[in-house]
mmCIF file of all heavy atoms in Angstrom:
data_model
loop_
_atom_site.group_PDB
_atom_site.id
_atom_site.type_symbol
_atom_site.label_atom_id
_atom_site.label_comp_id
_atom_site.label_asym_id
_atom_site.label_seq_id
_atom_site.Cartn_x
_atom_site.Cartn_y
_atom_site.Cartn_z
ATOM 1 N N VAL A 7 -21.301 28.089 -60.619
ATOM 2 C CA VAL A 7 -20.908 28.623 -59.320
ATOM 3 C C VAL A 7 -19.432 28.297 -59.122
ATOM 4 O O VAL A 7 -19.017 27.148 -59.285
ATOM 5 C CB VAL A 7 -21.739 28.009 -58.172
ATOM 6 C CG1 VAL A 7 -21.271 28.536 -56.827
ATOM 7 C CG2 VAL A 7 -23.219 28.274 -58.379
ATOM 8 N N ILE A 8 -18.666 29.316 -58.787
ATOM 9 C CA ILE A 8 -17.247 29.146 -58.480
ATOM 10 C C ILE A 8 -17.038 29.582 -57.036
ATOM 11 O O ILE A 8 -17.486 30.659 -56.630
ATOM 12 C CB ILE A 8 -16.367 30.002 -59.412
ATOM 13 C CG1 ILE A 8 -16.555 29.578 -60.867
ATOM 14 C CG2 ILE A 8 -14.896 29.912 -59.003
ATOM 15 C CD1 ILE A 8 -15.883 30.505 -61.872
ATOM 16 N N VAL A 9 -16.375 28.737 -56.262
ATOM 17 C CA VAL A 9 -16.007 29.079 -54.897
ATOM 18 C C VAL A 9 -14.498 29.274 -54.866
ATOM 19 O O VAL A 9 -13.745 28.390 -55.281
ATOM 20 C CB VAL A 9 -16.423 27.979 -53.894
ATOM 21 C CG1 VAL A 9 -15.911 28.292 -52.498
ATOM 22 C CG2 VAL A 9 -17.933 27.813 -53.875
ATOM 23 N N LEU A 10 -14.072 30.441 -54.406
ATOM 24 C CA LEU A 10 -12.659 30.735 -54.198
ATOM 25 C C LEU A 10 -12.443 30.889 -52.710
ATOM 26 O O LEU A 10 -13.093 31.717 -52.064
ATOM 27 C CB LEU A 10 -12.262 32.021 -54.924
ATOM 28 C CG LEU A 10 -12.479 32.030 -56.444
ATOM 29 C CD1 LEU A 10 -12.206 33.413 -57.006
ATOM 30 C CD2 LEU A 10 -11.616 30.986 -57.115
ATOM 31 N N ALA A 11 -11.562 30.060 -52.152
ATOM 32 C CA ALA A 11 -11.341 30.083 -50.706
ATOM 33 C C ALA A 11 -9.927 29.567 -50.416
ATOM 34 O O ALA A 11 -9.641 28.394 -50.637
ATOM 35 C CB ALA A 11 -12.383 29.217 -49.998
ATOM 36 N N ASP A 15 -9.062 23.372 -48.710
ATOM 37 C CA ASP A 15 -9.176 22.056 -49.350
ATOM 38 C C ASP A 15 -9.956 21.060 -48.487
ATOM 39 O O ASP A 15 -10.809 20.335 -48.994
ATOM 40 C CB ASP A 15 -7.785 21.492 -49.670
ATOM 41 C CG ASP A 15 -7.065 22.318 -50.721
ATOM 42 O OD1 ASP A 15 -7.738 22.830 -51.635
ATOM 43 O OD2 ASP A 15 -5.836 22.461 -50.623
ATOM 44 N N MET A 18 -13.753 21.943 -48.509
ATOM 45 C CA MET A 18 -14.443 21.703 -49.780
ATOM 46 C C MET A 18 -14.425 20.240 -50.221
ATOM 47 O O MET A 18 -15.270 19.832 -51.016
ATOM 48 C CB MET A 18 -13.830 22.568 -50.875
ATOM 49 C CG MET A 18 -14.201 24.034 -50.791
ATOM 50 S SD MET A 18 -15.972 24.359 -50.974
ATOM 51 C CE MET A 18 -16.260 23.876 -52.671
ATOM 52 N N THR A 22 -17.037 17.625 -53.025
ATOM 53 C CA THR A 22 -16.631 17.071 -54.319
ATOM 54 C C THR A 22 -17.158 15.649 -54.489
ATOM 55 O O THR A 22 -16.894 15.008 -55.508
ATOM 56 C CB THR A 22 -15.091 17.071 -54.476
ATOM 57 O OG1 THR A 22 -14.510 16.200 -53.499
ATOM 58 C CG2 THR A 22 -14.530 18.478 -54.350
ATOM 59 N N PHE A 34 -18.876 19.661 -56.534
ATOM 60 C CA PHE A 34 -17.899 20.632 -56.999
ATOM 61 C C PHE A 34 -16.696 19.902 -57.575
ATOM 62 O O PHE A 34 -16.379 18.781 -57.158
ATOM 63 C CB PHE A 34 -17.430 21.526 -55.838
ATOM 64 C CG PHE A 34 -18.365 22.650 -55.524
ATOM 65 C CD1 PHE A 34 -19.385 22.486 -54.604
ATOM 66 C CD2 PHE A 34 -18.224 23.879 -56.148
ATOM 67 C CE1 PHE A 34 -20.248 23.519 -54.306
ATOM 68 C CE2 PHE A 34 -19.086 24.931 -55.859
ATOM 69 C CZ PHE A 34 -20.095 24.746 -54.934
ATOM 70 N N GLU A 35 -16.038 20.543 -58.523
ATOM 71 C CA GLU A 35 -14.793 20.032 -59.087
ATOM 72 C C GLU A 35 -13.701 21.047 -58.808
ATOM 73 O O GLU A 35 -13.914 22.251 -58.971
ATOM 74 C CB GLU A 35 -14.932 19.843 -60.600
ATOM 75 C CG GLU A 35 -15.948 18.802 -60.993
ATOM 76 C CD GLU A 35 -16.091 18.682 -62.508
ATOM 77 O OE1 GLU A 35 -15.164 19.100 -63.234
ATOM 78 O OE2 GLU A 35 -17.137 18.184 -62.944
ATOM 79 N N PRO A 36 -12.516 20.572 -58.406
ATOM 80 C CA PRO A 36 -11.411 21.510 -58.156
ATOM 81 C C PRO A 36 -10.979 22.200 -59.445
ATOM 82 O O PRO A 36 -10.973 21.587 -60.516
ATOM 83 C CB PRO A 36 -10.290 20.629 -57.618
ATOM 84 C CG PRO A 36 -10.879 19.293 -57.359
ATOM 85 C CD PRO A 36 -12.163 19.197 -58.112
ATOM 86 N N LEU A 37 -10.631 23.473 -59.339
ATOM 87 C CA LEU A 37 -10.145 24.231 -60.490
ATOM 88 C C LEU A 37 -8.627 24.125 -60.656
ATOM 89 O O LEU A 37 -8.095 24.543 -61.669
ATOM 90 C CB LEU A 37 -10.530 25.706 -60.355
ATOM 91 C CG LEU A 37 -11.985 26.033 -60.601
ATOM 92 C CD1 LEU A 37 -12.264 27.490 -60.270
ATOM 93 C CD2 LEU A 37 -12.354 25.742 -62.039
ATOM 94 N N GLY A 38 -7.944 23.605 -59.652
ATOM 95 C CA GLY A 38 -6.499 23.461 -59.754
ATOM 96 C C GLY A 38 -5.744 24.770 -59.591
ATOM 97 O O GLY A 38 -4.650 24.920 -60.108
ATOM 98 N N LEU A 39 -6.339 25.719 -58.887
ATOM 99 C CA LEU A 39 -5.676 26.994 -58.625
ATOM 100 C C LEU A 39 -4.846 26.881 -57.349
ATOM 101 O O LEU A 39 -5.228 26.180 -56.423
ATOM 102 C CB LEU A 39 -6.714 28.107 -58.448
ATOM 103 C CG LEU A 39 -7.687 28.332 -59.590
ATOM 104 C CD1 LEU A 39 -8.739 29.344 -59.174
ATOM 105 C CD2 LEU A 39 -6.941 28.808 -60.816
ATOM 106 N N PHE A 40 -3.750 27.596 -57.272
ATOM 107 C CA PHE A 40 -2.940 27.546 -56.053
ATOM 108 C C PHE A 40 -3.670 28.164 -54.865
ATOM 109 O O PHE A 40 -3.409 27.837 -53.718
ATOM 110 C CB PHE A 40 -1.589 28.242 -56.261
ATOM 111 C CG PHE A 40 -1.662 29.743 -56.268
ATOM 112 C CD1 PHE A 40 -1.469 30.461 -55.101
ATOM 113 C CD2 PHE A 40 -1.932 30.439 -57.444
ATOM 114 C CE1 PHE A 40 -1.537 31.842 -55.103
ATOM 115 C CE2 PHE A 40 -2.003 31.817 -57.441
ATOM 116 C CZ PHE A 40 -1.803 32.520 -56.270
ATOM 117 N N VAL A 41 -4.632 29.047 -55.115
ATOM 118 C CA VAL A 41 -5.342 29.732 -54.040
ATOM 119 C C VAL A 41 -6.537 28.922 -53.534
ATOM 120 O O VAL A 41 -7.055 29.168 -52.472
ATOM 121 C CB VAL A 41 -5.793 31.141 -54.477
ATOM 122 C CG1 VAL A 41 -6.922 31.059 -55.475
ATOM 123 C CG2 VAL A 41 -6.212 31.979 -53.298
ATOM 124 N N GLY A 42 -6.987 27.946 -54.270
ATOM 125 C CA GLY A 42 -8.141 27.144 -53.869
ATOM 126 C C GLY A 42 -9.389 27.602 -54.590
ATOM 127 O O GLY A 42 -9.945 28.645 -54.269
ATOM 128 N N GLY A 43 -9.823 26.833 -55.572
ATOM 129 C CA GLY A 43 -11.015 27.177 -56.334
ATOM 130 C C GLY A 43 -11.748 25.918 -56.762
ATOM 131 O O GLY A 43 -11.127 24.897 -57.087
ATOM 132 N N TRP A 44 -13.082 25.987 -56.752
ATOM 133 C CA TRP A 44 -13.929 24.860 -57.117
ATOM 134 C C TRP A 44 -15.098 25.380 -57.951
ATOM 135 O O TRP A 44 -15.546 26.512 -57.773
ATOM 136 C CB TRP A 44 -14.463 24.173 -55.864
ATOM 137 C CG TRP A 44 -13.373 23.589 -55.030
ATOM 138 C CD1 TRP A 44 -12.933 22.290 -55.030
ATOM 139 C CD2 TRP A 44 -12.575 24.263 -54.054
ATOM 140 N NE1 TRP A 44 -11.903 22.145 -54.139
ATOM 141 C CE2 TRP A 44 -11.661 23.337 -53.526
ATOM 142 C CE3 TRP A 44 -12.525 25.579 -53.597
ATOM 143 C CZ2 TRP A 44 -10.721 23.671 -52.559
ATOM 144 C CZ3 TRP A 44 -11.588 25.916 -52.625
ATOM 145 C CH2 TRP A 44 -10.708 24.973 -52.120
ATOM 146 N N VAL A 45 -15.605 24.531 -58.836
ATOM 147 C CA VAL A 45 -16.701 24.942 -59.716
ATOM 148 C C VAL A 45 -17.762 23.854 -59.762
ATOM 149 O O VAL A 45 -17.464 22.662 -59.620
ATOM 150 C CB VAL A 45 -16.178 25.254 -61.145
ATOM 151 C CG1 VAL A 45 -15.614 24.004 -61.811
ATOM 152 C CG2 VAL A 45 -17.262 25.890 -62.005
ATOM 153 N N ILE A 46 -18.998 24.281 -59.959
ATOM 154 C CA ILE A 46 -20.122 23.366 -60.165
ATOM 155 C C ILE A 46 -21.072 24.033 -61.159
ATOM 156 O O ILE A 46 -21.145 25.270 -61.220
ATOM 157 C CB ILE A 46 -20.844 23.042 -58.834
ATOM 158 C CG1 ILE A 46 -21.866 21.915 -59.014
ATOM 159 C CG2 ILE A 46 -21.496 24.288 -58.249
ATOM 160 C CD1 ILE A 46 -22.439 21.399 -57.696
ATOM 161 N N GLN A 73 -15.012 33.757 -51.454
ATOM 162 C CA GLN A 73 -15.737 34.449 -52.518
ATOM 163 C C GLN A 73 -16.548 33.415 -53.291
ATOM 164 O O GLN A 73 -16.014 32.377 -53.671
ATOM 165 C CB GLN A 73 -14.774 35.129 -53.475
ATOM 166 C CG GLN A 73 -13.913 36.184 -52.820
ATOM 167 C CD GLN A 73 -12.860 36.681 -53.777
ATOM 168 O OE1 GLN A 73 -13.175 37.199 -54.839
ATOM 169 N NE2 GLN A 73 -11.608 36.506 -53.406
ATOM 170 N N LEU A 75 -18.762 33.133 -56.666
ATOM 171 C CA LEU A 75 -19.125 33.790 -57.923
ATOM 172 C C LEU A 75 -20.232 32.973 -58.572
ATOM 173 O O LEU A 75 -20.098 31.753 -58.726
ATOM 174 C CB LEU A 75 -17.911 33.857 -58.852
ATOM 175 C CG LEU A 75 -16.704 34.596 -58.277
ATOM 176 C CD1 LEU A 75 -15.452 34.250 -59.061
ATOM 177 C CD2 LEU A 75 -16.967 36.079 -58.300
ATOM 178 N N PHE A 84 -20.730 37.530 -63.745
ATOM 179 C CA PHE A 84 -20.802 36.801 -62.486
ATOM 180 C C PHE A 84 -21.163 37.768 -61.367
ATOM 181 O O PHE A 84 -20.646 38.883 -61.309
ATOM 182 C CB PHE A 84 -19.451 36.157 -62.148
ATOM 183 C CG PHE A 84 -19.229 34.833 -62.808
ATOM 184 C CD1 PHE A 84 -18.719 34.769 -64.089
ATOM 185 C CD2 PHE A 84 -19.517 33.650 -62.144
ATOM 186 C CE1 PHE A 84 -18.497 33.554 -64.707
ATOM 187 C CE2 PHE A 84 -19.305 32.427 -62.752
ATOM 188 C CZ PHE A 84 -18.796 32.366 -64.037
#
Side-chain angles (χ1 to χ4, degrees):
V7 178
I8 298 171
V9 174
L10 301 173
D15 294 325
M18 286 298 294
T22 64
F34 279 90
E35 296 178 21
L37 286 173
L39 303 173
F40 76 93
V41 71
W44 297 263
V45 65
I46 189 170
Q73 299 172 60
L75 302 163
F84 276 85

